[in-house]
Amino acid sequence: DFSGAVGGNRLLHAGPRSHAPSHSTAHLLRVASLRGGDQPSLVGKRPVSEDSAAATATPGGPPLLSAQAPLKRIALRGGKAAEEPEPEIDETLYSRQLYVLGHDAMRKMQKSSILLIGLGGLGVEIAKDLALAGVKSLTLHDPQETTPSDFAAQFYLGEADLGIGRAAATVEKLAGLNPHVTIDVLETEVNAEVVARYSLVVCTDRIFGECVRINDACRAQGVKFIMAQTRGVFGHIFVDFGADHEVTDTNGENPAQCLLSHVSSEEVGVVSTLEDTRHNLEDGDLVQISGVQGMEGLETLPPMKVKVLGPFSFSVGDTRGMG
């Protein structure tokens, strides 16, 4: 039974507001029921906070030195040289996830520098998925020596790795998964100066008190934090993306769509749906209208709030001069 918690986040219902057209032909209205969000994303796109994957590390991965002590690292780099410009998205390699996530989310992932703490069974699965997803860089931290008990869950460890740190024993195999991702090992203690060089820290296989300490350091440095752990067939996950993080996608589903029969051109535009087609909106919902011949300007407007007039009509903002 997995449960999620969001620490310090503002949870907002966000979604598309509508742009009001004015024609009597049928138009396509895409609707997302979002209430209370003052910064919604456009309809048809999975909202992602603009800083959700911002990179805080150097182009080739997190810096190797802190102000107080050097950070020992074993580096296996599969990507291009750090001084080279950011590569374009490899649409052949990432075709499937581009279809699901879109180019904007993929570009943000390619800028993300991630520190993964713990390379047990859960940690190695997370590391594998991040490498295949195409993040900018992935740093592994797990000095715990490999023991026979690791063989049951950590699929990259074997008898030849006994006595070797789990991160060091795993990095080479992970580095071969994706040539576009820089993967290396951090061997020093994780502290506030270390986490400041990453955009996200994922903590697994650690006692709760240590996770809290790392979370506090991430919060102080403005770094996103995820704690994920498993206990037998049970598990839990805690997510802290900072006090300013906004969730604008309430359910992850595609926006609802509805055909319109008429949109007036006036200061407060009135939108009517086809006969016997209920819009199922509520006051404050956000809509966006597209495909209106002669009123193409509507598609350039931000989503607009709805005021329900009846089951088959609602009003939006100013729809004049959109042709």
Side-chain angles (χ1 to χ4, degrees), residues 34-295:
L34 309 161
R35 304 175 183 89
D38 46 13
Q39 289 185 343
S41 70
L42 295 181
V43 183
K45 293 183 180 180
R46 295 290 298 278
V48 181
S49 176
E50 288 189 5
D51 64 346
S52 65
T56 57
T58 57
L64 305 186
L65 299 177
S66 68
Q68 297 181 354
L71 305 180
K72 299 179 183 177
R73 309 179 73 158
I74 303 171
L76 285 173
R77 303 186 185 277
K80 297 183 178 180
E83 65 274 9
E84 293 185 10
E86 181 178 316
E88 295 294 328
I89 297 175
D90 187 337
E91 298 195 4
T92 301
L93 179 63
Y94 299 118
S95 58
R96 292 185 178 180
Q97 69 186 51
L98 278 173
Y99 179 79
V100 176
L101 302 176
H103 283 74
D104 290 343
M106 189 66 214
R107 290 190 187 95
K108 289 178 180 179
M109 281 204 301
Q110 286 190 321
K111 297 178 182 178
S112 298
S113 298
I114 300 174
L115 172 62
L116 174 61
I117 302 171
L119 266 294
L122 176 61
V124 71
E125 183 66 29
I126 294 173
K128 173 181 70 72
D129 292 341
L130 289 173
L132 293 174
V135 297
K136 178 181 179 180
S137 68
L138 174 62
T139 298
L140 311 176
H141 176 73
D142 191 344
Q144 180 176 322
E145 293 184 354
T146 303
T147 64
S149 62
D150 292 314
F151 301 162
Q154 224 282 25
F155 46 77
Y156 280 146
L157 297 179
E159 292 185 2
D161 301 312
L162 289 172
I164 302 175
R166 295 194 298 186
T170 304
V171 62
E172 185 173 1
K173 301 178 181 70
L174 287 170
L177 294 176
N178 191 338
H180 299 290
V181 179
T182 295
I183 302 180
D184 52 15
V185 174
L186 173 68
E187 294 185 324
T188 59
E189 180 184 356
V190 177
N191 54 37
E193 289 187 6
V194 171
V195 302
R197 298 178 171 93
Y198 299 90
S199 51
L200 169 67
V201 174
V202 181
C203 192
T204 71
D205 296 339
R206 290 294 182 270
I207 61 174
F208 183 75
E210 184 176 355
C211 292
V212 171
R213 178 184 66 81
I214 296 173
N215 182 207
D216 289 342
C218 289
R219 175 57 75 96
Q221 297 291 337
V223 176
K224 298 169 178 60
F225 174 83
I226 297 176
M227 179 184 71
Q229 296 187 349
T230 57
R231 297 290 183 269
V233 297
F234 300 96
H236 65 268
I237 183 170
F238 172 81
V239 179
D240 182 0
F241 284 169
D244 297 328
H245 180 70
E246 296 180 353
V247 176
T248 57
D249 188 351
T250 58
N251 53 27
E253 298 179 356
N254 292 327
Q257 298 183 359
C258 180
L259 290 176
L260 307 179
S261 62
H262 177 75
V263 180
S264 66
S265 177
E266 51 189 321
E267 185 175 359
V268 179
V270 177
V271 181
S272 302
T273 62
L274 289 177
E275 186 177 356
D276 297 330
T277 302
R278 293 177 178 267
H279 52 66
N280 295 321
L281 296 172
E282 297 181 12
D283 288 347
D285 284 355
L286 305 170
V287 298
Q288 186 173 24
I289 300 173
S290 61
V292 181
Q293 296 181 358
M295 298 189 70

